[in-house]
Amino acid sequence: MCGIIGIVGKSAVNQTIFDGLTVLQHRGQDAAGIVTCDNQRFYLRKNNGLVRDVFHTRHMLNLKGNMGIGHVRYPTAGCDTSAEAQPFYVNSPYGISLAHNGNLTNIDELKEDLYQEDFRHINTDSDSEILLNIFARELQKIGKLHLDQEDIFTAVKEVQRRCRGGYAVVAMIMGYGIVGFRDSYGIRPIVFGKRTTPQGTEYAIASESAALNILGYEIMRDIEPGEAIFINTAGQLYSRQCTKKPVTSPCIFEIVYMARPDSIIDGISVYKARMRMGKYLAKKILKTYPDHDIDVVIPIPDTSRTASLQLANVLGVKYREGFVKNRYIPRTFIMPGQSQRKKSVRQKLNAIDLEFSGKNVLLVDDSIVRGTTCKQIIQMAREAGAKKVYFASAAPPVRYPNVYGIDMPSVNELLAHNRTTEEIAQKIGADWLIYQNLDDLVAAARKGNKSIKQFDTSCFDGHYVTGDVNEQYLAFIESLRNDDARSERNKKGHAEVIELHNVG
């Protein structure tokens, strides 16, 4: 998962993009980057690390211009090095920089086409670089010295036709403006808004509405599946549907885990959806364990808090905060290595013994992926004096890999893969375990926007909405995502951080 932002302003945008990326930091802590445009020059700074660590005063001063894009990254494929940091840049045609959230499922085919037909070399393992070069190639084919918005939409149409998978994109074209577009299924989120300044109207595009809200932008709407919007340097906005048959299928795991609770994605309030998830889960507990002896409901911070509070209300059981979280430890299911993940759980959470001692505790988490976290947390609860420890997941069992941009582990590292609920409970050390029903999860999300007929639920049911994911591709993903493969890639490394200043 990654976070993207693009702004066409009337004054310097460097600080606004920086602030927007800090709001989107939850979507990626691996690397960050900003590229701005001023006087026919791109100014780029990117590196591994958190936003606050990548950009110092000297970097911000160099990021000149009233137009720019930014990115925060966690790795979905490829090496965990600065060479994979975004945005990417190509000088031909016109000068284009691009940032991308998602994952392409036909990268080998596209990479081969780029080399055979256009002699383009791809320097990293990132599909974002491939997407950038496909877009550049399609603009090149138009063959015009001066572009208009129809030319840009024509290029996006070809990108949509050729690139499969889930993606949300912001791209900046030197001297023209910023384009934002989304895959034809709308798997990955992207929204745009505007704000009025004394100098005129400014537009912004971002992964989540919360980023635009905090920056003072009025939310206009989500970019529709298959749609592109273009904001030129004069601040004029154009939109076009670039896919013949778009199908709205947003990723439901965004609502379960990835998105901020104060975001609205495709008309769905993430906060309200998580409340409904808690309500549905409570009803299942009452049906499955009508004589339960739960004394207290305790969330595993932070994402599960909203669902846990509503669950406790429906059960009529006390809700308590039993864990204190160190906010400076990254999310554990995307950490590179099992030993590091195990160590980080103890560093990230500390139990408040008074809330556990002598009680039957129901711990609630948003989901269970590897199970590394919940197993250690259950042990922590027992060490804090809990008599019994029950566990509830606000999402169904994660049994299949996500191939559209969420870096879930190799299928054999997924705790629920080929295991029953009882076997999983035994594995994590819970007295009993209960999962959300998939139908209830979909209902909890869909109630926020009943026009959405389907979601991407592939990590729960193995149904991949794009229809092009086969066993061969899943084996390829498996080879990239298992811990041994990650370790080997990271040993090889990549080139040092690239900084482009005054690139024309």
Side-chain angles (χ1 to χ4, degrees), residues 298-334:
I298 294 178
I300 297 173
D302 286 316
T303 322
S304 65
R305 281 196 172 106
T306 308
S308 300
L309 183 57
Q310 186 70 356
L311 182 150
N313 287 336
V314 175
L315 290 182
V317 173
K318 291 179 181 179
Y319 171 90
R320 293 291 185 268
E321 294 285 341
F323 294 103
V324 176
K325 182 179 181 180
N326 181 343
R327 301 182 183 279
Y328 306 100
I329 303 295
R331 290 178 164 183
T332 52
F333 92 78
I334 55 177

Side-chain angles (χ1 to χ4, degrees), residues 216-267:
Y217 286 84
E218 172 193 349
I219 304 301
M220 298 177 71
R221 61 178 176 84
D222 298 274
I223 295 178
E224 296 295 326
E227 184 187 22
I229 66 166
F230 173 64
I231 307 153
N232 65 20
T233 54
Q236 298 168 305
L237 186 145
Y238 305 88
S239 65
R240 193 78 76 250
Q241 177 53 250
C242 297
T243 302
K244 290 183 179 179
K245 296 181 178 180
V247 180
T248 303
S249 301
C251 174
I252 206 163
F253 207 72
E254 286 277 356
I255 295 169
V256 169
Y257 178 73
M258 293 304 306
R260 284 174 56 123
D262 50 342
S263 285
I264 296 176
I265 295 178
D266 293 302

